[in-house]
């Protein structure tokens, strides 16, 4: 037995400083995506809702971080319990994780893996917020974050990525979050908006983005951070799959942006900046689950299909009457479904595994496996999210009052405004003399 033991010890993974540093950088890139999302969403709403939109993303950085340390990491990546949930008491509060303990089978510390996955857990519920713009109480949203992360995200992450999770065992391919992140968040958004209803003035009042430069800034930060999101999900393994994912991320995003703009030009007669930003995000969403399984040519196909179909999907809210404020359903849910299902067609067998899709001689087997994962996550998230929203609405109330919504949720919920125009045109002097001018005008009126 001694020689076998010696061999196992020699073959055991050892800490890699290079992989550890790479994964820490990737974790920081994914963290940057949440502020990027805040800017992306913040620019898409009207002026009176800007700060609330920023805060709905930023608060996730606080709430989910604490939940993850206390029990979220254990639920998602602990020892499997019935293929549904994980649990490892040593992970609770990160109480018994040694600083040099390695994540099983990899060359990075457990802490590094945990913080990388934390950033996924943070941005996923933040994605939901875009569908709820203008009308949700900040307290209710914060409580929803706690409940949704606990009951929906942590279990679903275990299904898809946890050793022993049912989707993992079934063979569902989700490289970096098509099901666990995007379908999960998009379906949740749909479930919540079906409960809380439409914005005041939906389909009647203009609800155009107030700052397209802010939207483009947010989209750029998302695109930048997404390289860490996607390439980092291979956890630094030195087998070429991470670089393939990096390339496919760029390729699919470019193809989706061009496809969205082409559709927009044909359908509406113009190339818009909002379309460019939305198309890029649609491509990023679609390549997230599929980028490790397809070739760069396959990535072009995935991006192009997602760009067109997501552009078509965002208009469904007007046809069916659900108020998805910032197109979370049309981009994230639909894009996640497209990217996940297309694995069954375009998987080359030369990436993360030898699984081949229909167009590479693999038949429809993987496609049906992908369907099982996609629609199970979609249904679970939609139903549970709707139930959570219903319970909160019937207890503490989910929506602000109609008067507060009309006057502006920023003032009602945060006592602030995004832009202060009191001194516009006058600088410091103008601001300082404004009260005096007002007093003078008042005297003239009295006279």
């Amino acid at each position: 037995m001694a020689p076998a033991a010696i061999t196992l010890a020699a073959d055991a993974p050892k800490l890699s400083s290079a992989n550890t540093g790479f994964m820490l950088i990737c974790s920081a890139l994914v963290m940057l995506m949440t502020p990027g999302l805040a800017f992306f969403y913040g620019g898409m709403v009207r002026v009176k809702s800007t700060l609330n939109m920023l805060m709905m993303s930023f608060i996730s950085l606080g709430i989910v971080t604490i939940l993850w340390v206390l029990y979220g990491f254990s639920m998602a990546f602990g020892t499997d319990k019935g293929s549904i949930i994980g649990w490892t008491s040593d992970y609770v509060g990160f109480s018994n994780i040694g600083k040099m303990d390695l994540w099983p089978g990899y060359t990075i510390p457990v802490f590094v893996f945990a913080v990388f996955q934390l950033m996924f857990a943070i941005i996923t519920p933040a994605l939901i917020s875009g569908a709820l713009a203008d009308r949700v109480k900040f307290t209710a949203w914060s409580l929803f974050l706690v409940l949704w992360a606990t009951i929906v995200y942590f279990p679903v992450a275990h299904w898809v990525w946890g050793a022993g999770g049912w989707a993992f065992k079934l063979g569902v391919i989700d490289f970096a979050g098509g099901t666990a992140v995007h379908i999960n968040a998009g379906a949740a958004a749909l479930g919540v908006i079906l409960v809380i209803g439409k914005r005041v003035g939906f389909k009647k009042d203009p609800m155009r983005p107030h700052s397209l430069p802010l939207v483009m800034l947010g989209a750029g930060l998302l695109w930048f951070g997404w390289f860490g999101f996607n390439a980092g999900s291979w956890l630094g393994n030195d087998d070429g799959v991470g670089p393939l994912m990096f390339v496919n991320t760029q390729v699919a995003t470019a193809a989706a942006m061009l496809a969205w703009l082409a559709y927009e030009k044909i359908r509406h007669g113009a190339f818009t900046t909002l379309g460019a930003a939305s198309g890029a995000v649609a491509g990023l969403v679609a390549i997230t689950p599929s980028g490790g399984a397809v070739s760069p040519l396959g990535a072009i196909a995935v991006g192009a299909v997602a760009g067109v179909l997501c552009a078509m999907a965002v208009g469904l809210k007007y046809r069916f009457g659900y108020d998805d404020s910032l197109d979370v359903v049309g981009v994230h849910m639909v894009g996640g479904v497209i990217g996940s299902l297309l694995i069954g067609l375009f998987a080359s067998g030369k990436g993360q595994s030898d699984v081949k899709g229909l167009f590479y001689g693999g038949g429809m087997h993987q496609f049906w496996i992908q369907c099982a994962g996609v629609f199970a996550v979609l249904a679970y998230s939609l139903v549970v999210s709707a139930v959570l929203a219903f319970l909160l609405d019937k207890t503490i109330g989910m929506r602000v009052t109609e008067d507060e919504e009309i006057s502006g949720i920023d003032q009602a919920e945060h006592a602030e405004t995004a832009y202060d125009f009191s001194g516009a045109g006058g600088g410091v002097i103008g601001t300082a003399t404004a009260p005096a001018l007002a007093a003078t005008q008042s005297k003239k009126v009295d006279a």
Side-chain angles (χ1 to χ4, degrees), residues 114-131:
V115 78
F116 179 68
Q117 289 295 337
L118 164 62
M119 302 311 171
F120 282 66
I122 288 169
I123 196 171
T124 304
L127 293 171
I128 302 169
S129 66

Side-chain angles (χ1 to χ4, degrees), residues 163-409:
W166 70 263
F168 183 89
K169 291 194 296 185
L170 184 63
V172 175
I173 294 175
D174 185 355
F175 194 96
T179 52
V181 175
H182 298 291
I183 295 173
N184 203 5
L190 181 59
V192 175
I193 58 182
L194 291 177
V195 171
I196 67 172
K198 308 173 185 67
R199 288 168 290 179
V200 175
F202 177 65
K203 290 207 253 187
K204 297 178 183 178
D205 299 338
M207 298 180 179
R208 293 185 293 271
H210 88 279
S211 177
L212 288 171
L214 201 60
V215 173
M216 295 297 279
L217 172 63
L221 289 173
L222 284 169
W223 193 334
F224 176 68
W226 223 293
F227 290 113
F229 193 90
N230 281 356
S233 290
W234 204 236
L235 304 183
N237 277 356
D238 300 323
D239 56 6
V241 176
L244 172 66
M245 185 54 158
F246 194 104
V247 170
N248 284 345
T249 298
Q250 178 68 18
V251 169
T253 307
M257 180 179 68
L258 295 176
W260 187 300
L261 288 173
Y263 173 85
E264 196 173 52
K265 177 64 174 177
I266 294 169
R267 184 69 188 273
H268 304 293
F271 303 112
T272 69
T273 52
L274 182 60
S278 299
V281 173
L284 290 164
V285 169
I287 202 62
T288 291
S290 58
V294 303
S295 68
L297 287 177
I300 292 175
V302 169
V305 171
V308 172
L309 293 185
C310 289
M312 296 171 64
V314 297
L316 294 178
K317 63 184 179 183
Y318 300 111
R319 178 176 298 178
F320 294 109
Y322 60 89
D323 186 7
D324 175 15
S325 306
L326 307 184
D327 302 320
V328 178
V329 176
V331 173
H332 291 276
M333 190 182 83
V334 173
V337 169
I338 291 167
S340 297
L341 296 185
L342 288 182
I343 293 170
L345 304 181
F346 292 106
S348 67
K350 298 178 181 179
Q352 67 186 89
S353 71
D354 59 2
V355 171
K356 294 182 179 180
L358 176 64
F359 299 154
Y360 288 81
M364 293 291 287
H365 179 69
Q366 188 62 36
F367 180 82
W368 298 123
I369 290 176
Q370 294 302 118
C371 285
V374 163
F375 294 109
V377 171
L378 193 157
Y380 178 76
S381 183
L382 190 153
V383 172
V384 175
S385 301
V387 170
L388 292 176
F390 178 80
L391 293 175
L392 288 173
D393 194 44
K394 295 302 180 182
T395 51
I396 64 173
M398 282 286 284
R399 294 187 63 147
V400 298
T401 66
E402 184 173 333
D403 287 343
E404 289 173 335
E405 185 178 335
I406 293 172
S407 62
I409 196 170

